[in-house]
Amino acid sequence: SRGVACSCAQIQDHGEAPESWYLALLGFAEHFRTSSPPKIRLCVHCLQAVFQFKPPQRVEARTHLQLGSVLYHHTKNTELARSHLEKAIPQFEDVKFEAASLLSELYCQQNLVDSAKPLLRKAIQISQQTPYWHCRLLFQLAQLHTLEKDLVSACDLLGVGAEYTRVVGSEYTRALFLLSKGMLLLMERKLGEVHPLLTLCGTIVENWQGNPIQKESLRVFFLVLQVTHYLDAGQVKSVKPCLKQLQQCIQTISTLHDDEILPSNPADLFHWLPKEHMCVLVYLVTVMHSMQAGYLEKAQKYTDKALMQLEKLKMLDSSPILSTFQVILLEHIIMCRLVTGHKATALQEISQVCQLCAQSPRLFTNHASQLHTLLGLYCLSVNCMDNAEAQFTAALRLTTHQELWAFIVTNLASVYIREGNRDQELYNLLERINPDHNFPVSSHCLRAAAFYIRGLLSFFQGRYNEAKRFLRETLKMSNAEDLNRLTACSLVLLGHIFYVLGNHRESNNMVVPAMQLASKIPDMSVQLWSSALLKDLNKACGNTIDAHEAAQMHQNFSQQLLQDHIAACSLPEHNLISWTDGPPPVGQFQAQNGPSTSLASLL
């Protein structure tokens, strides 16, 4: 129900003074709707009573709309809601566009997308003289195409919206249409079209003079696209100026007060995200950056802040985007935990992602591949190689995202290298992620990781000169963009090669900075590896005290990792490693002894 004042004002706008019975019934309906708890049955009775008075057509149409809205938002009686909305559609302009918008939402909820699309298209065709509804319906149909993965049609509609708003003089909403289109072009990897479009958006945003909160929210949208574009490309160092601007921008927004002044142009009655959602989003992209750069304690700090904010928001707001933010935050912190040696916590958080995905089929569809990838990484960390292979294979089957695909293939290759008897499968995989030519994605980080995987394979095959070439390439790329984890892994592996070749001085020059960097991240497995090498190096060089100190460090890391390993494998959630198909198995865990696992070959 849209409230008494709104309904009466719209009736009066059309020269019809509302009668006292109508005011009374609307007043009662609104009172019951806004009661705590809402008394929806009584609200519906009041609205239905309007029809007993044989009201004018405009009142009748609006009442059908209100009934449809109340039934749709507050009850499970979708058939009755649909019936009322369908009766409101052929009526007056101020009713039909809202009814069409609501009815198409209801159709989508009932999986009748093919009924929703023509309804929205027709409403768009006849709403050009009503700027607010024309823009809103364009956004709605574009979103519907996006959910169906038809990004081309969605981009076309957003382009139509951008041109329409230019004509009606709404630069603010034009920027929203263009930024939305830019977001979809980034998803499609149409980078040639993204760059000029973002440049145009930057100019529009800077030149627009209007409500400060609206202006800053446009800047946040613009900067989020720039930051995610850099992070997708694995350019962790290059993104820093943009990320700093974004963080300053969100601080500015948090100091501004929401003005209740409505824009004079009805096409400007939109906002991108609520201020609180933007804050969470900025935390989220900061976590993404920290994880890629290898600042894992910083990633943990911002994840905690974001999750705390999300918990508060979810008490009052059921917006599905909040669950999406929560899942993406958890996906990143899980990877951090696996690196820092907190596998048991990571496993419990994987289970939490399963529960969130089980509540929303759309969320699961969008994150199933990531979920299996996380389980694959967990299996790698507890040395369950067969399960890791099965999880990564399942993840590959479920993704069409190129960067994720390359990430999974890289990790699957590391499984085959560690198994040591999968040469043909390994060579087939490596051919698909060859960093020297035709690398499938533009990500700097993933290409550097592909060189590292080649170096690791050459090391295990005893081809040390070839391994050094690959690892130096990784080092060059990871140093250029501050990819700390790849730098640490490359240094310790180079140190291992020099140790095997008997070049102890050069080995030491690699292992010591590797250890320092691994402690800073902190990366437990690289610390374990480095301390073992330092122990052997110092022993070989006759440095007894240093060798003893390194041995003690190695013992401490081993104990910590072993305890965490045992704790993780004894959790009932450990059984998730055998789930490779179908919906997430929530609530099906039973405590039992996990498969026999070994702490050996922790690289």
Side-chain angles (χ1 to χ4, degrees):
S1 176
R2 287 168 54 89
V4 183
C6 181
S7 299
C8 292
Q10 283 171 323
I11 298 296
Q12 282 176 318
D13 281 349
H14 294 276
E16 299 167 25
E19 296 188 37
S20 55
W21 58 263
Y22 181 59
L23 288 176
L25 286 170
L26 271 191
F28 279 126
E30 185 67 1
H31 167 73
F32 290 133
R33 189 184 72 85
T34 55
S35 297
S36 183
K39 296 171 181 172
I40 298 303
R41 191 168 58 84
L42 294 174
C43 170
V44 168
H45 281 326
C46 290
L47 290 171
Q48 284 172 330
V50 170
F51 300 126
Q52 304 298 318
F53 289 86
K54 301 286 187 289
Q57 279 187 308
R58 188 176 295 282
V59 171
E60 187 179 333
R62 178 149 293 282
T63 305
H64 279 303
L65 171 61
Q66 288 175 307
L67 273 164
S69 178
V70 168
L71 290 163
Y72 173 62
H73 288 117
H74 299 283
T75 75
K76 291 180 180 175
N77 196 341
T78 50
E79 284 308 312
L80 191 55
R82 178 176 163 178
S83 168
H84 281 294
L85 291 170
E86 284 172 346
K87 285 172 186 168
I89 289 278
Q91 305 293 330
F92 305 88
E93 274 193 4
D94 59 317
V95 173
K96 70 166 58 173
F97 300 136
E98 186 176 352
S101 175
L102 258 181
L103 186 56
S104 66
E105 267 186 51
L106 191 149
Y107 283 152
C108 290
Q109 197 181 70
Q110 295 180 316
N111 292 320
L112 299 170
V113 175
D114 290 336
S115 298
K117 284 192 280 196
L119 179 62
L120 287 170
R121 280 195 209 102
K122 187 177 178 187
I124 287 166
Q125 280 170 7
I126 60 175
S127 62
Q128 293 195 26
Q129 302 309 310
T130 317
Y132 168 75
W133 278 110
H134 190 63
C135 292
R136 180 165 161 174
L137 293 162
L138 280 166
F139 276 127
Q140 191 172 347
L141 186 53
Q143 183 180 27
L144 183 50
H145 282 300
T146 303
L147 292 173
E148 287 203 304
K149 303 284 193 288
D150 180 3
L151 301 188
V152 173
S153 298
C155 280
D156 287 345
L157 284 162
L158 294 169
V160 168
E163 180 55 25
Y164 174 81
T165 44
R166 186 188 66 77
V167 171
V168 299
S170 169
E171 287 295 281
Y172 166 75
T173 306
R174 183 185 174 206
L176 279 181
F177 273 114
L178 289 171
L179 288 165
S180 301
K181 185 176 177 180
M183 180 173 68
L184 298 189
L185 290 170
L186 278 173
M187 287 164 66
E188 282 194 283
R189 300 294 178 264
K190 291 187 175 175
L191 303 185
E193 292 178 52
V194 169
H195 295 141
L197 189 136
L198 284 182
T199 303
L200 172 62
C201 287
T203 307
I204 294 172
V205 171
E206 288 311 311
N207 292 340
W208 186 71
Q209 301 300 318
N211 179 314
I213 283 190
Q214 283 185 309
K215 185 179 175 81
E216 289 303 309
S217 75
L218 284 179
R219 291 189 73 222
V220 170
F221 195 171
F222 173 69
L223 288 165
V224 163
L225 292 187
Q226 286 203 309
V227 169
T228 48
H229 179 36
Y230 276 117
L231 292 178
D232 261 0
Q235 295 175 317
V236 172
K237 188 176 183 179
S238 308
V239 76
K240 283 182 180 177
C242 275
L243 184 59
K244 194 171 182 185
Q245 267 185 287
L246 178 58
Q247 289 162 342
Q248 287 167 345
C249 199
I250 202 70
Q251 284 178 331
T252 304
I253 283 187
S254 61
T255 63
L256 294 171
H257 294 291
D258 288 315
D259 292 325
E260 290 300 319
I261 304 161
L262 289 176
S264 56
N265 189 335
D268 285 347
L269 285 164
F270 295 94
H271 65 260
W272 174 49
L273 279 177
K275 192 196 297 188
E276 298 78 12
H277 291 200
M278 282 190 263
C279 288
V280 175
L281 182 57
V282 174
Y283 281 140
L284 174 54
V285 293
T286 305
V287 168
M288 290 164 75
H289 174 261
S290 302
M291 199 211 74
Q292 274 201 35
Y295 307 129
L296 301 193
E297 285 175 349
K298 188 178 175 186
Q300 174 69 64
K301 184 179 88 171
Y302 281 106
T303 299
D304 290 344
K305 283 185 176 184
L307 289 174
M308 205 181 302
Q309 180 100 344
L310 274 169
E311 285 306 314
K312 287 179 192 169
L313 289 173
K314 285 180 88 172
M315 288 177 192
L316 307 165
D317 185 347
S318 60
S319 175
I321 200 170
L322 296 178
S323 293
T324 301
F325 286 163
Q326 191 177 358
V327 165
I328 298 171
L329 277 163
L330 286 168
E331 284 169 356
H332 282 81
I333 203 60
I334 287 161
M335 288 189 276
C336 292
R337 303 234 198 258
L338 292 173
V339 172
T340 57
H342 298 97
K343 295 185 277 287
T345 309
L347 187 55
Q348 288 165 327
E349 285 165 340
I350 290 173
S351 174
Q352 203 181 332
V353 175
C354 283
Q355 286 163 8
L356 285 165
C357 286
Q359 291 162 19
S360 163
R362 178 168 289 142
L363 199 58
F364 178 59
T365 301
N366 291 336
H367 292 268
S369 182
Q370 292 92 315
L371 195 42
H372 285 294
T373 303
L374 292 170
L375 281 166
L377 294 172
Y378 167 74
C379 293
L380 260 178
S381 75
V382 292
N383 208 34
C384 295
M385 291 301 148
D386 288 347
N387 296 98
E389 181 185 349
Q391 290 297 340
F392 289 137
T393 304
L396 284 175
R397 190 179 70 243
L398 292 165
T399 190
T400 54
H401 189 281
Q402 282 185 301
E403 275 77 9
L404 180 57
W405 176 88
F407 178 78
I408 298 163
V409 167
T410 305
N411 281 286
L412 184 54
S414 78
V415 172
Y416 291 154
I417 289 170
R418 283 167 64 169
E419 284 186 318
N421 59 353
R422 306 293 294 277
D423 290 353
Q424 194 52 56
E425 292 104 318
L426 178 58
Y427 290 129
N428 290 342
L429 276 187
L430 292 179
E431 204 44 52
R432 297 166 80 185
I433 51 163
N434 187 339
D436 282 321
H437 65 270
N438 295 332
F439 192 65
V441 293
S442 58
S443 171
H444 182 92
C445 178
L446 286 170
R447 188 162 170 259
F451 275 118
Y452 176 78
I453 284 293
R454 294 255 166 174
L456 188 65
L457 176 62
S458 299
F459 166 73
F460 276 118
Q461 293 174 333
R463 301 205 304 270
Y464 299 127
N465 285 334
E466 186 180 84
K468 282 191 281 185
R469 180 185 85 77
F470 287 129
L471 293 170
R472 281 175 179 142
E473 203 61 48
T474 305
L475 272 178
K476 187 171 76 179
M477 293 185 74
S478 53
N479 283 334
E481 284 292 344
D482 289 349
L483 304 170
N484 289 332
R485 279 203 68 223
L486 269 175
T487 301
C489 290
S490 303
L491 284 171
V492 74
L493 186 47
L494 274 167
H496 205 133
I497 290 166
F498 284 120
Y499 175 74
V500 171
L501 293 171
N503 189 339
H504 294 163
R505 188 173 63 83
E506 198 60 41
S507 177
N508 196 64
N509 288 346
M510 299 289 153
V511 179
V512 170
M515 186 60 154
Q516 289 166 345
L517 197 50
S519 305
K520 185 177 147 191
I521 291 169
D523 186 323
M524 281 293 280
S525 51
V526 173
Q527 285 177 292
L528 182 75
W529 191 2
S530 301
S531 57
L533 260 174
L534 281 172
K535 177 188 69 173
D536 294 342
L537 262 173
N538 284 307
K539 200 172 174 184
C541 297
N543 303 328
T544 314
I545 295 170
D546 290 344
H548 178 73
E549 192 181 308
Q552 191 57 55
M553 267 198 301
H554 185 259
Q555 177 67 16
N556 292 342
F557 293 134
S558 295
Q559 280 303 311
Q560 283 178 55
L561 279 165
L562 184 59
Q563 283 165 13
D564 180 50
H565 181 99
I566 292 164
C569 292
S570 59
L571 285 171
E573 290 89 344
H574 181 77
N575 296 305
L576 270 172
I577 68 173
S578 56
W579 164 64
T580 55
D581 199 21
V586 179
Q588 295 173 24
F589 311 120
Q590 290 165 0
Q592 62 181 61
N593 294 326
S596 171
T597 54
S598 153
L599 198 62
S601 36
L602 252 171
L603 291 179

